[in-house]
Amino acid sequence: TVNPYLGEKAASVMLAGVRSFEVSYFNGSSWVKAWDSGGEKRLPVAVRAAVTLAGGEEFNVLARTMAANPPG
């Protein structure tokens, strides 16, 4: 896998029993597969992690960031 920001090969680790693992980021209007906070100049509104186990079970975790509720 190539790191889209550094152009280097990124290490990949496979865990026993995990078929897939995916992280995506909500920019306020759509979900994207990569986030560069230096380029975006902000945090994503939310982050989602999706895991599929070898048996087909799927789990999703969604977390809102401080960008979703800035301190007031």
Side-chain angles (χ1 to χ4, degrees):
T1 304
V2 174
N3 184 315
Y5 305 110
L6 302 176
E8 301 172 359
K9 287 197 172 210
S12 61
V13 177
M14 296 300 294
L15 300 174
V18 175
R19 182 184 303 164
S20 69
F21 176 79
E22 179 178 294
V23 178
S24 53
Y25 309 89
F26 189 64
N27 63 15
S29 60
S30 62
W31 289 96
V32 295
K33 301 278 184 195
W35 191 267
D36 178 7
S37 58
E40 296 287 341
K41 305 291 187 223
R42 63 185 176 98
L43 292 172
V45 174
V47 178
R48 177 176 58 198
V51 177
T52 303
L53 300 180
E57 302 90 348
E58 297 180 6
F59 300 92
N60 290 288
V61 177
L62 177 65
R64 294 175 63 155
T65 68
M66 291 295 290
N69 296 309

